[in-house]
Amino acid sequence: MPDTQVPEKTPVDFWFDPLCPWAWMTSRWMLEVEKVRDIEVRWHVMSLAVLNENKLEELPERYRDLLGPKGLEPVRVVVAAQQKHGSEVTGKLYTALGTRFHNQAEGAGRETIAAALADVGLPAELIEYADSDEFDEILRASHNNGIDRVGQEVGTPVISVPGADGEDVAFFGPVVTPAPRGEAAARLWDGTLLVASTPGFFEIKRTRTVGPNFA
């Protein structure tokens, strides 16, 4: 009889901060890739506030509030939801937050976070974790798991994909706007796997000339 076993999907680990518009663009690309390639995205949190906590004074003033303690609020709520309701809610809540933060430009305040919780049917009381450090150890462990794979000189997103021998290879990015769709999403994914399978490959980069396009 023919083997009818369904092949396992390729796991892709993705680290995000809900506040980052560039991570949002990349995450929407990954959801497109799920439609055209046999992959499964596993969502993890990281935090730009944690990444920049020891260099806030070096940052432009317009970023200090965003990347200070207030910047922990959305990611703390995501971690609390994850711990209390299972990892499967992570991607759903991220989508709800990102849609409101970025596509709908509602800002990242408590009301917006509470509305995102309601969007995915999560308990309203999870908003109380926005200023709670109860799960900060777990948050930081997730953050470090991602950032340690690529180094401290990057931000979000971080993705980890299979290399030539099946080992995990992590990158910052890809940074892209707008998010590719359909076959364009597949081509970028295929290229990502190609560079990941090249021993010694580290970086391709150019200056950004446009901002994120959420269309």
Side-chain angles (χ1 to χ4, degrees):
M1 295 180 61
D3 185 359
T4 59
Q5 184 177 0
V6 178
E8 291 187 6
K9 293 185 177 183
T10 300
V12 183
D13 290 291
F14 189 106
W15 283 263
F16 67 91
D17 185 322
L19 292 173
C20 179
W22 295 105
W24 177 245
M25 301 304 307
T26 308
S27 72
R28 300 310 92 181
W29 162 66
M30 288 302 324
L31 291 183
E32 279 292 308
V33 177
E34 280 192 321
K35 299 175 184 177
V36 294
R37 293 290 186 268
D38 288 328
I39 72 162
E40 180 180 10
V41 183
R42 302 186 297 201
W43 304 99
H44 311 276
V45 296
M46 60 183 295
S47 170
L48 293 172
V50 171
L51 188 66
N52 291 282
E53 62 187 349
N54 294 320
K55 49 187 177 184
L56 275 180
E57 295 304 316
E58 302 170 17
L59 299 174
E61 186 173 352
R62 66 182 183 276
Y63 292 131
R64 290 177 192 167
D65 185 51
L66 179 66
L67 300 181
K70 191 172 180 61
L72 283 170
E73 293 180 359
V75 74
R76 277 175 164 169
V77 172
V78 173
V79 174
Q82 192 180 65
Q83 294 304 304
K84 289 182 169 290
H85 299 278
S87 60
E88 64 273 10
V89 306
T90 309
K92 296 175 184 177
L93 182 54
Y94 178 31
T95 288
L97 288 166
T99 299
R100 289 182 174 273
F101 288 178
H102 307 300
N103 293 68
Q104 297 171 198
E106 296 180 11
R110 299 290 181 90
E111 290 185 3
T112 306
I113 299 171
L117 289 169
D119 288 342
V120 293
L122 287 167
E125 57 264 27
L126 285 171
I127 192 63
E128 298 171 8
Y129 288 90
D131 52 10
S132 168
D133 63 1
E134 180 176 344
F135 297 118
D136 277 10
E137 186 175 342
I138 294 170
L139 187 162
R140 287 175 178 272
S142 178
H143 172 92
N144 291 333
N145 186 20
I147 209 71
D148 286 349
R149 299 171 186 236
V150 289
Q152 296 291 327
E153 294 77 30
V154 303
T156 175
V158 169
I159 65 170
S160 183
V161 303
D165 299 320
E167 78 283 8
D168 289 338
V169 177
F171 296 111
F172 162 64
V175 175
V176 61
T177 189
R181 302 188 182 280
E183 188 55 33
R187 287 196 301 270
L188 180 56
W189 170 250
D190 294 343
T192 301
L193 288 184
L194 180 62
V195 297
S197 67
T198 303
F201 175 85
F202 291 103
E203 183 176 11
I204 292 176
K205 191 171 184 178
R206 64 174 178 161
T207 300
R208 301 175 202 173
T209 58
V210 296
N213 179 355
F214 305 123

